[in-house]
Amino acid sequence: MQNSHLTKKLTINIFPFAKLEQPKQSYVFCVDGRKGPIKSHEGKNIKGAYPQMLGGSLNSVVVYYVLGEENSAPVYKEKGFIDTGVQVFNVLREKGFGLGLHGDNHAKEGKSSGCGFGDNLRKVIEHLRQNHTDEIWGVLESSGLVTEDDKTKWDKIIGRLNEIDVSNNIPEGHEIIGRLKKEKDVAYQVLQGGHGEKAAVVNYVDGTTLDTDKAQELPAFNLDMWRVQAEAEALGIDVRETELLVLGLYVATEIALVENKGKARLPILIKK
Ligand SMILES: [Zn+2]
């Protein structure tokens, strides 16, 4: 018996990509492969494809928190994660970047946000810095996303992650997203249903994104690296360090959301 749709080879070319008219101003949402309605801060409906990063704008908050300032560990304690987020949102808004966060239609008020990256952030950090560090490096290296030359920066990143007192410094996902979505100009998406992603895409093509609505028959996680890079630059953070951290967090998130739930590891597909 042959099921052509099951045996069809999973390559990057079978996924629908869209070109964004305003790559920088577009509200950014999560790598999550589900779809759902989006509203602007003023309650206006927003349609069309959107750039994607880990947890949407939460991506740059985590990056800034880990890599933002030399010797920033004391800043964590004084300012805290959420205040860092507010500060990051202010800088990005001033520089013209659209801000976005999401929940889903079965999140539990006061318990979960519905964003797998946000809700598992503590676990994701633990996976990357401790439980799966070498395994994640191996996955990235065999995908061609990192080389031996990146090892010094990688070690610095793992060192930075080790400075974080996860249980005291990283709030729960619903606390982070519940608070940051109240900030000015933040758009909010409510994703629907369950996860069925078949691949983890990393997209380097400037100003394009996976069209999540059109990809519902074959959903995938999608990380738009060009947008990750642009926000890192706007925040004054080393762009390659940012890429390495975000790639590590992406695989760690996949481990938490897919492999830890008993499903097979997703293939990483790269769009260049
Ligand atoms: Zn999410």
Side-chain angles (χ1 to χ4, degrees):
M1 244 188 344
Q2 285 230 318
N3 287 316
S4 62
H5 68 285
L6 290 177
T7 53
K8 193 170 166 187
K9 200 161 181 278
L10 205 59
T11 66
I12 191 66
N13 297 324
I14 62 177
F15 291 94
F17 278 79
K19 196 157 171 46
L20 297 163
E21 277 171 32
Q22 295 189 300
K24 183 176 165 184
Q25 291 87 347
S26 292
Y27 298 111
V28 64
F29 294 100
C30 193
V31 300
D32 200 309
R34 296 173 292 169
K35 68 170 192 172
I38 300 170
K39 282 198 190 297
S40 73
H41 200 72
E42 294 76 33
K44 215 177 100 198
N45 291 319
I46 307 220
K47 298 248 183 273
Y50 45 82
Q52 294 173 282
M53 308 195 298
L54 298 169
S57 295
L58 185 53
N59 186 113
S60 286
V61 177
V62 176
V63 167
Y64 192 85
Y65 190 73
V66 178
L67 299 173
E69 295 162 52
E70 283 305 324
N71 309 312
S72 53
V75 176
Y76 300 159
K77 286 173 199 140
E78 284 161 27
K79 291 198 155 175
F81 185 89
I82 289 176
D83 286 340
T84 302
V86 170
Q87 187 187 325
V88 165
F89 276 22
N90 288 340
V91 173
L92 292 173
R93 185 191 307 106
E94 258 168 47
K95 298 202 172 186
F97 288 93
L99 300 166
L101 295 167
H102 83 94
D104 71 12
N105 64 344
H106 47 94
K108 292 185 185 72
E109 181 82 33
K111 280 198 168 156
S112 64
S113 69
C115 176
F117 177 66
D119 288 336
N120 290 281
L121 185 53
R122 292 173 177 176
K123 210 184 287 174
V124 165
I125 290 171
E126 292 294 4
H127 283 345
L128 180 53
R129 74 180 184 183
Q130 190 180 333
N131 307 339
H132 298 273
T133 313
D134 295 340
E135 182 192 344
I136 291 170
W137 173 263
V139 168
L140 295 174
E141 202 174 30
S142 63
S143 308
L145 289 162
V146 302
T147 69
E148 207 46 42
D149 293 346
D150 293 313
K151 207 66 212 289
T152 310
K153 289 193 169 183
W154 176 261
D155 290 341
K156 175 187 163 182
I157 290 162
I158 303 302
R160 280 296 184 87
L161 290 170
N162 278 320
E163 290 172 19
I164 300 171
D165 177 352
V166 167
S167 51
N168 284 315
N169 297 156
I170 306 290
E172 298 277 359
H174 67 91
E175 295 172 308
I176 300 169
I177 291 167
R179 172 64 186 80
L180 290 180
K181 78 176 185 187
K182 292 182 184 150
E183 286 299 296
K184 194 169 162 255
D185 298 334
V186 178
Y188 190 71
Q189 183 179 32
V190 182
L191 294 171
Q192 313 288 311
H195 287 281
E197 290 88 349
K198 299 289 183 274
V201 174
V202 184
N203 173 34
Y204 285 90
V205 184
D206 205 10
T208 69
T209 191
L210 180 72
D211 191 326
T212 302
D213 278 6
K214 286 188 183 150
Q216 287 306 300
E217 271 187 36
L218 190 66
F221 293 104
N222 173 57
L223 174 66
D224 290 317
M225 194 58 89
W226 56 269
R227 175 73 180 235
V228 170
Q229 294 165 336
E231 294 199 8
E233 219 172 298
L235 290 164
I237 310 170
D238 184 283
V239 172
R240 186 60 186 160
E241 283 179 15
T242 299
E243 275 185 62
L244 295 172
L245 171 60
V246 172
L247 288 169
L249 292 168
Y250 194 29
V251 177
T253 305
E254 191 271 346
I255 291 173
L257 292 184
V258 179
E259 294 173 49
N260 284 0
K261 303 236 153 84
K263 295 184 206 163
R265 168 167 293 167
L266 296 181
I268 295 180
L269 300 176
I270 301 162
K271 179 92 172 168
K272 278 189 173 161

